[in-house]
Amino acid sequence: QVQLQQSGPGLVKPSQTLSLTCAISGDSVSSNSAAWSWIRQSPSRGLEWLGRTYFRSKWHYDYAVSVKSRVTINPDTSKNQFSLQLNSVTPDDTAVYYCARVRGGGFGNLFYYFDYWGQGTLVTVSS
Amino acid sequence: DIQMTQSPSSLSASVGDRVTITCRASQAISSYVNWYQQDPGKAPKVLIYAASNLQSGVPSRFSGSGYGTDFTLTISSLQPEDSATFYCQQSYTTPWTFGQGTKVEIK
């Protein structure tokens, strides 16, 4: 059974960096058949995919344009986890942040979906 | 970005009713649609992937259909535990995007 356990602060000051970690059990961050994503949810933005990382002979990274200049997702193979860093936060970044595993299904396993999620972390940006 | 538009935004139905939620994509996306159920305070849970494939462990009263731009999630016989918010999501191209949600309430 795959489990994703999130950790990180729930309060971040404006202009600072939001940092969250997602510890993986039951799978490997280096898996050749999974990707690892961060998603956030707020009343104003709904569910918003932030980006993903995955290993296919080398590490790949893919970010949403809306946060691309501020976001980094990093795998940590020694601890079997991955992290989210979002720089220069504003109150608009206040949201519940989720990590999630991405799997492929359907024909050719090319239909990707989020099959396991972390428990969510409410991050408030406020001074 | 591909916009996913769900309707209705909310509905109220009785136990045993057949419930249909629709999702329209802003461009053709083949069968690259997934459906999720989210209970209050919880993470979303996948119900259907690739438009019509039932995720393992999900009750068979849930089904999905559609292709191109128009997709449907159907609950064949609504149960009390189905009171939740449902989301569609496209995985045709990044950035992967979600619909705004449909809140289902039990009368």
Side-chain angles (χ1 to χ4, degrees):
Chain A
Q1 177 78 347
V2 175
Q3 291 189 320
L4 303 178
Q5 182 65 41
Q6 297 178 218
S7 59
L11 181 64
V12 181
K13 289 182 166 51
S15 79
Q16 294 192 343
T17 297
L18 180 161
S19 296
L20 297 173
T21 299
C22 183
I24 303 163
S25 58
D27 199 352
S28 169
V29 71
S30 304
S31 168
N32 273 301
S33 59
W36 306 94
S37 268
W38 286 95
I39 297 151
R40 67 182 177 182
Q41 184 173 31
S42 66
S44 59
R45 295 175 174 271
L47 284 160
E48 180 184 16
W49 174 80
L50 300 178
R52 62 175 172 171
T53 186
Y54 57 97
F55 186 78
R56 303 289 186 270
S57 302
K58 66 175 185 177
W59 287 102
H60 298 263
Y61 306 90
D62 190 8
Y63 300 120
V65 171
S66 61
V67 294
K68 191 169 187 176
S69 64
R70 300 191 291 133
V71 70
T72 304
I73 295 176
N74 271 328
D76 182 343
T77 57
S78 66
K79 296 181 179 179
N80 200 31
Q81 63 187 30
F82 63 108
S83 63
L84 170 73
Q85 285 197 311
L86 185 65
N87 301 326
S88 305
V89 297
T90 71
D92 192 47
D93 294 310
T94 294
V96 176
Y97 287 75
Y98 294 101
C99 60
R101 188 179 80 165
V102 182
R103 288 291 299 210
F107 182 75
N109 289 327
L110 295 176
F111 293 82
Y112 300 111
Y113 59 100
F114 306 107
D115 65 342
Y116 287 98
W117 297 64
Q119 78 275 23
T121 302
L122 172 60
V123 178
T124 302
V125 179
S126 175
S127 54
Chain B
D1 298 2
I2 296 175
Q3 308 301 316
M4 305 295 285
T5 304
Q6 288 182 234
S7 61
S9 55
S10 65
L11 65 90
S12 181
S14 300
V15 172
D17 282 353
R18 183 181 183 88
V19 169
T20 299
I21 299 169
T22 63
C23 182
R24 175 164 288 176
S26 59
Q27 67 180 73
I29 57 171
S30 180
S31 298
Y32 289 88
V33 162
N34 309 311
W35 290 94
Y36 300 85
Q37 175 182 9
Q38 185 177 32
D39 294 327
K42 302 287 189 183
K45 165 192 164 186
V46 64
L47 302 173
I48 302 286
Y49 65 90
S52 61
N53 291 268
L54 191 69
Q55 173 71 345
S56 175
V58 173
S60 59
R61 65 180 180 275
F62 292 96
S63 64
S65 64
Y67 185 88
T69 60
D70 295 315
F71 302 88
T72 299
L73 174 70
T74 299
I75 309 172
S76 61
S77 178
L78 191 67
Q79 299 301 302
E81 59 268 31
D82 300 336
S83 178
T85 301
F86 295 84
Y87 295 92
C88 60
Q89 175 245 330
Q90 64 83 16
S91 61
Y92 181 76
T93 186
T94 58
W96 296 330
T97 49
F98 293 82
Q100 81 279 14
T102 296
K103 186 172 184 178
V104 173
E105 295 181 334
I106 309 295
K107 281 182 185 175

